[in-house]
Amino acid sequence: MTQSPRQRLSPDTRREQLLDLGVRLFATRTLDEISIDLLAEEAGISRGLLYHYFGNKQDFHEAVVRRAIQDLIEVTGPVDEDDLMTRMMISLQNYVDYVVANHTAYVSIVRAASSGNQTMHEIYHSALTALIDRIWESSTPEELATVGIPDTPAIRLMARGWAALTEYVVLSWIEDDRGITRDELISTLALSLAGIASSVGGSSFGGSSFGSQTLGGPA
């Protein structure tokens, strides 16, 4: 019996595979715990080959964080729903579920962003901007007007503040849920966005259908 020849992977494909492995390891380990040696052992290749794809440990860590952030953005992306509020609620649910499933990695990313590493800081804040700005980018002006969140600098700024609040609350809830259920958490976070938006420039967000939809919790 003859064996088929082993397929040679392109450098880009091999690098993508290594990044996928790095992200899987990152789900249950901090950045400091993911070394070149560990990745080489898990991938069954030499350290030297890994350095061919990633110049050093810092480059590797930054690449893994970029991939993890990319996964978060994709997981929480707008879904194929006609109703804007439904899309936002599902995105928020997916965000909470992602942070719960990847808690160690997420906390590590937050710490890295505030550690003084400029690249990590930029990766983190670029993701935050993308997560918030797509509220407007994935919606028509008519949809946004209906719920009272027009595209203004003031509302975008306050929405970024809401995102930081959401992150803090979700991470604290994971450590101690204080008797708050997942659905109650998501509903409260959604209502807090409504309240913030309604306080900016007389927006009617807080009195929109969004508030009434979220009071009962997500479907």
Side-chain angles (χ1 to χ4, degrees):
M1 180 180 293
T2 60
Q3 294 182 336
S4 59
R6 184 176 180 180
Q7 182 180 10
R8 181 181 293 275
L9 300 177
S10 69
D12 288 344
T13 300
R14 170 63 77 178
R15 189 175 188 276
E16 290 301 302
Q17 287 186 342
L18 293 172
L19 279 176
D20 287 341
L21 175 58
V23 170
R24 289 199 298 273
L25 295 173
F26 191 32
T28 56
R29 295 171 173 83
T30 66
L31 274 177
D32 289 338
E33 293 172 335
I34 305 177
S35 64
I36 291 291
D37 287 337
L38 174 62
L39 185 64
E41 180 181 351
E42 292 287 336
I45 61 178
S46 67
R47 294 174 75 251
L49 184 57
L50 268 175
Y51 281 117
H52 173 72
Y53 295 104
F54 307 100
N56 53 50
K57 181 179 178 180
Q58 184 62 39
D59 289 345
F60 168 59
H61 282 176
E62 290 172 0
V64 168
V65 169
R66 288 185 191 277
R67 172 56 63 80
I69 288 294
Q70 178 184 334
D71 290 346
L72 170 61
I73 291 174
E74 290 178 356
V75 163
T76 57
V79 295
D80 188 18
E81 290 283 347
D82 292 335
D83 182 63
L84 170 59
M85 294 303 105
T86 301
R87 297 199 301 269
M88 291 177 64
M89 287 294 294
I90 293 174
S91 291
L92 186 54
Q93 291 172 31
N94 290 341
Y95 170 78
V96 171
D97 291 344
Y98 179 92
V99 177
V100 169
N102 299 274
H103 180 246
T104 300
Y106 195 93
V107 170
S108 189
I109 291 173
V110 173
R111 289 174 178 169
S114 60
S115 67
N117 183 306
Q118 186 61 29
T119 300
M120 291 293 191
H121 178 82
E122 291 173 357
I123 295 171
Y124 173 81
H125 282 280
S126 292
L128 182 65
T129 298
L131 290 170
I132 293 302
D133 285 355
R134 70 183 178 197
I135 293 175
W136 293 274
E137 293 167 358
S138 64
S139 307
T140 66
E142 292 75 20
E143 287 179 310
L144 295 169
T146 299
V147 296
I149 49 173
D151 189 1
T152 69
I155 289 182
R156 287 209 186 202
L157 175 62
M158 297 306 291
R160 285 178 173 81
W162 171 82
L165 169 68
T166 294
E167 178 181 86
Y168 175 81
V169 169
V170 171
L171 290 175
S172 298
W173 176 78
I174 291 172
E175 296 293 336
D176 180 1
D177 64 23
R178 296 169 176 81
I180 301 171
T181 68
R182 170 183 171 276
D183 286 357
E184 289 170 343
L185 173 72
I186 293 168
S187 177
T188 302
L189 289 172
L191 284 171
S192 69
L193 176 57
I196 290 171
S198 67
S199 69
V200 180
S203 166
S204 61
F205 193 153
S208 72
S209 61
F210 184 40
S212 63
Q213 285 185 12
T214 57
L215 278 171

